[in-house]
Amino acid sequence: MYRTHHCGELRASHINQKVTLSGWVQKFRDKGFVAWVDLRDRYGITQLVFDADRTDKELMKSARNLGREFVVQVSGTVIERASKNPNIDTGDIEILVESLTLLNSAKVPPFTIEDDTDGGEELRMKYRYLDIRRNPVKNNLIFRHKVAQEVRNYLSSIEFIEVETPYLIKSTPEGARDFVVPSRMNEGQFYALPQSPQTFKQLLMVGGMDKYFQIVKCFRDEDLRADRQPEFTQIDCEMTFVEQEDILNTFEGLTKHLIKEINGVELSEFPRMTFDEAMKRYGNDKPDIRFGMEFGELNDVAQHKDFKVFNTADLVVGIAIPGGNSYSRKEIDKLIDWVKRPQIGALGMVYVRCNEDGTYKSSVDKFYDQNDLANWAEKTGANSGDLICVLSGQTSKVRAQLSALRMELAERLGLRNPKEFAPLWVTDFPLLEWDEDTQRYHAMHHPFTAPKPEDIKLLDTDPGAVKANAYDLVLNGNEIGGGSIRIHDKETQALMFNHLGFTEEEAKAQFGFLMNAFEYGAPPHGGIAFGLDRLVAILGGQETIRDFIAFPKNNSGRDVMIDAPAPIANDQLDELGLKTK
């Protein structure tokens, strides 16, 4: 056998035992009369010792020929380590090597296989199989496994059934761009890779499965960010005979279970907030509620003077930075420059210093007196020693700008503690949102989301005012899950397609299979999908998902390790019925 124990297993209780280990050479240290090798595998590191007094010359010579990342097998005796290492689990022992077998040599790796490596991100992604040997990446993948197992265990314990759905499906025009796959047997026709198993899980509910889940790969051909990949993993779930409250209670339970089992943190009931309230208080629909700095809307106390910038704005809104009055003028000017960057897009920023003596000093003292500024402080919840930052403009834009500033300041002030968990349900989303480019409404979630029953009558007169029976689960300022109660009757679904601009023929061509299924006794149903990559990253104290994915793509959507995407041969293109250049 290659090994009797792994490299993180041996302890003082194993002293005097004969053992066999296999692994990679982490380090080699030679003092002439004695040499040490750190042998590493997935489980840890064990120190090997080659002693001139106790090791024959040929074995000593073989040891000195070892290089970093050589794969070896050794046999020997566990002995007490003279100089113990409390930083590793095997630090009380070492192996006096009696035989050494070289299983494979190795080139010098392009970066050090250590926790603090000298390899840049692009280099490490090119040699990802080496990067996985490092503890940070290895431990992240093990952590992801534990989260996925807890998900499966919890959902299985409450009678959910895991069902696989197809990866080769039909392209649909709603949502992000599809990845398409040409069909060789049906020339000129294409499959699409699923952005989610949405229609299939609804069909499973029509099929009477009652409670379904799947940890499933999904695909979206969209612009990438740190928390996005072209292929990602969802915890996809659906239930029958449920209302919104049933869904929220079930998956609040799952989230509590994960945070308790994985992080040892017990959470109480999750607060809830409507979409409109979230936008008004925090400027976005996934607010981080671990800290304050809530928005204070200032229209009624800022648009009564001759300051044209505010008077012509749809919204004047501010936040109070705790202790911000200590900022120098230079630091405040840097904040102003920050919000004026193209990524944020503000035209400027007004500020107010809240002095310890109860007075105020602002950048617009020419227009506003102490009483006005005191009203601003009251609206933003500012105290003595704080700094009020005020932006103005078109409502949706200025909210997004101030939200970005709020998050940036929270990072600078250390208010986003990764070990603290602040979940939040956001409910009552708009059903539809207007798209200026296409000049029509699009589904804010997807076309199968049910409107609030009391709002259906507004679809013909005021579609933008219709609320969806939809909900998002937010954790630490990140959307980790989203779902809705679904439409389950053909008439309402046809009405929804009509308001999304589908003709009857287009709706039948795209979704006729679902409409037909609704004619055979579709039950009321609803569900939710969690982003597993993002959830794992947050539970692991991070927000970038890449290091929790075994083989991620870079920011251009490329796999630099296997060099994909890549051209394919002309004969393959011809076989698929695709024109060659």
Side-chain angles (χ1 to χ4, degrees):
M1 66 178 69
Y2 280 112
R3 58 187 179 186
T4 59
H5 300 77
H6 57 65
C7 293
E9 187 175 352
L10 299 172
R11 303 289 187 270
S13 60
H14 295 94
I15 287 173
N16 295 324
Q17 289 187 21
K18 299 284 188 179
V19 299
T20 300
L21 304 179
S22 294
W24 289 265
V25 173
Q26 175 83 11
K27 289 180 180 178
F28 181 86
R29 304 181 299 283
D30 190 352
K31 294 291 186 182
F33 62 91
V34 63
W36 295 274
V37 171
D38 286 347
L39 189 68
R40 183 195 73 244
D41 65 9
R42 183 190 116 187
Y43 305 94
I45 290 176
T46 297
Q47 181 169 282
L48 314 178
V49 60
F50 300 83
D51 187 332
D53 294 333
R54 294 176 287 180
T55 304
D56 67 59
K57 290 182 179 179
E58 285 302 313
L59 183 56
M60 202 77 177
K61 182 179 178 181
S62 296
R64 289 194 168 107
N65 287 329
L66 295 176
R68 285 166 51 199
E69 301 305 311
F70 277 34
V71 186
V72 300
Q73 179 192 44
V74 298
S75 294
T77 303
V78 182
I79 62 175
E80 185 175 4
R81 187 165 167 169
S83 178
K84 294 180 172 56
N85 182 355
N87 297 318
I88 59 174
D89 293 335
T90 59
D92 289 340
I93 59 91
E94 58 190 1
I95 308 301
L96 179 61
V97 178
E98 296 162 8
S99 69
L100 167 67
T101 303
L102 177 64
L103 301 175
N104 218 332
S105 60
K107 293 170 64 175
V108 176
F111 54 87
T112 55
I113 313 297
E114 295 179 358
D115 291 3
D116 296 319
T117 184
D118 55 359
E121 186 173 16
E122 195 76 2
L123 181 65
R124 289 187 290 110
M125 287 184 70
K126 183 176 181 179
Y127 296 93
R128 184 63 165 180
Y129 46 86
L130 297 180
D131 201 27
I132 291 172
R133 295 180 189 175
R134 298 192 311 114
N135 283 327
V137 181
K138 175 199 72 177
N139 291 338
N140 283 348
L141 296 181
I142 294 171
F143 183 81
R144 180 191 178 102
H145 161 75
K146 290 178 179 177
V147 174
Q149 286 301 102
E150 286 297 336
V151 169
R152 285 192 165 97
N153 292 341
Y154 183 86
L155 292 176
S156 298
S157 74
I158 55 174
E159 300 182 318
F160 278 77
I161 303 298
E162 186 165 14
V163 182
E164 293 184 54
T165 53
Y167 276 2
L168 295 175
I169 66 168
K170 189 176 186 178
S171 183
T172 58
E174 285 291 315
R177 295 182 185 90
D178 288 326
F179 283 101
V180 294
V181 180
S183 170
R184 178 183 60 82
M185 293 181 289
N186 300 276
E187 187 173 322
Q189 296 184 313
F190 298 82
Y191 298 105
L193 299 179
Q195 297 183 33
S196 86
Q198 180 61 45
T199 54
F200 288 101
K201 66 179 178 179
Q202 290 189 248
L203 292 172
L204 285 170
M205 296 303 100
V206 176
M209 288 305 294
D210 192 60
K211 291 182 177 181
Y212 141 94
F213 85 98
Q214 183 180 190
I215 298 181
V216 58
K217 278 283 187 184
C218 301
F219 307 85
R220 290 179 187 169
D221 188 5
E222 60 185 355
D223 294 336
L224 304 180
R225 300 194 303 252
D227 62 344
R228 283 185 182 172
Q229 286 277 298
E231 53 179 309
F232 57 96
T233 306
Q234 282 187 179
I235 308 166
D236 199 59
C237 309
E238 199 81 1
M239 304 167 69
T240 55
F241 303 113
V242 289
E243 297 177 337
Q244 178 176 295
E245 196 67 23
D246 301 305
I247 304 284
L248 269 54
N249 289 335
T250 298
F251 293 98
E252 187 168 311
L254 170 62
T255 309
K256 286 179 181 177
H257 173 81
L258 291 176
I259 292 174
K260 180 181 178 182
E261 294 300 316
I262 301 297
N263 300 92
V265 176
E266 293 205 37
L267 297 177
S268 57
E269 297 302 306
F270 292 9
R272 300 182 187 184
M273 187 180 299
T274 66
F275 171 86
D276 290 341
E277 184 183 0
M279 296 302 294
K280 185 172 183 177
R281 292 171 60 183
Y282 299 101
N284 69 60
D285 58 3
K286 48 182 185 295
D288 191 336
I289 59 172
R290 284 175 292 181
F291 57 95
M293 287 197 282
E294 291 190 25
F295 288 13
E297 296 193 355
L298 307 176
N299 288 41
D300 59 340
V301 292
Q303 292 184 324
H304 63 294
K305 295 293 180 71
D306 295 328
F307 188 48
K308 187 177 180 180
V309 172
F310 284 177
N311 290 344
T312 57
D314 293 332
L315 178 66
V316 183
V317 62
I319 56 173
I321 306 172
N325 193 29
S326 63
Y327 290 3
S328 67
R329 176 58 189 270
K330 185 177 180 180
E331 288 174 311
I332 294 174
D333 286 343
K334 285 184 178 179
L335 276 185
I336 295 171
D337 291 339
W338 191 90
V339 299
K340 290 169 72 174
R341 295 182 312 150
Q343 302 94 312
I344 307 301
L347 297 178
M349 184 182 84
V350 169
Y351 66 88
V352 181
R353 293 183 179 275
C354 303
N355 299 320
E356 297 293 344
D357 62 3
T359 62
Y360 302 93
K361 179 66 178 174
S362 82
S363 56
V364 286
D365 279 345
K366 177 180 178 181
F367 300 98
Y368 297 96
D369 58 29
Q370 291 292 299
N371 186 59
D372 292 324
L373 301 179
N375 288 333
W376 295 13
E378 182 180 356
K379 291 274 190 178
T380 58
N383 298 309
S384 297
D386 292 350
L387 181 74
I388 303 171
C389 297
V390 182
L391 300 181
S392 62
Q394 194 269 329
T395 299
S396 60
K397 289 182 179 179
V398 77
R399 280 177 171 166
Q401 292 160 359
L402 192 61
S403 176
L405 177 61
R406 176 179 180 267
M407 295 296 282
E408 173 68 16
L409 290 167
E411 287 286 352
R412 296 185 186 186
L413 295 169
L415 300 177
R416 305 190 70 205
N417 179 4
K419 294 183 178 180
E420 180 185 352
F421 297 100
L424 171 72
W425 286 109
V426 178
T427 64
D428 295 352
F429 284 81
L431 181 70
L432 306 169
E433 57 184 346
W434 182 256
D435 187 292
E436 288 293 340
D437 293 334
T438 60
Q439 289 292 296
R440 67 180 180 90
Y441 282 103
H442 290 262
M444 191 164 190
H445 284 76
H446 53 64
F448 317 107
T449 297
K452 290 279 187 178
E454 62 272 20
D455 287 353
I456 291 179
K457 60 183 181 294
L458 297 174
L459 274 171
D460 289 324
T461 57
D462 190 5
V466 178
K467 298 297 184 186
N469 208 337
Y471 34 82
D472 280 357
L473 182 55
V474 177
L475 184 62
N476 295 359
N478 294 270
E479 177 205 329
I480 61 166
S484 65
I485 299 298
R486 322 301 187 188
I487 297 169
H488 68 278
D489 64 279
K490 183 178 180 180
E491 292 72 23
T492 306
Q493 189 64 74
L495 181 65
M496 183 67 171
F497 285 144
N498 179 57
H499 282 282
L500 291 172
F502 289 84
T503 65
E504 187 175 343
E505 292 74 22
E506 288 170 337
K508 185 176 181 180
Q510 292 289 339
F511 303 108
F513 64 93
L514 185 66
M515 304 283 274
N516 290 340
F518 284 172
E519 295 187 284
Y520 290 92
H525 58 282
I528 193 169
F530 288 78
L532 179 65
D533 310 298
R534 191 176 302 170
L535 175 61
V536 170
I538 295 170
L539 295 181
Q542 301 179 40
E543 292 189 7
T544 301
I545 66 175
R546 192 173 292 151
D547 279 344
F548 291 87
I549 298 173
F551 299 103
K553 307 290 189 291
N554 69 9
N555 287 339
S556 300
R558 294 197 64 82
D559 186 324
V560 295
M561 182 182 68
I562 64 172
D563 193 24
I568 61 174
N570 285 340
D571 57 348
Q572 283 182 279
L573 291 172
D574 291 338
E575 194 174 31
L576 292 167
L578 301 175
K579 292 182 178 180
T580 58
K581 291 183 179 180

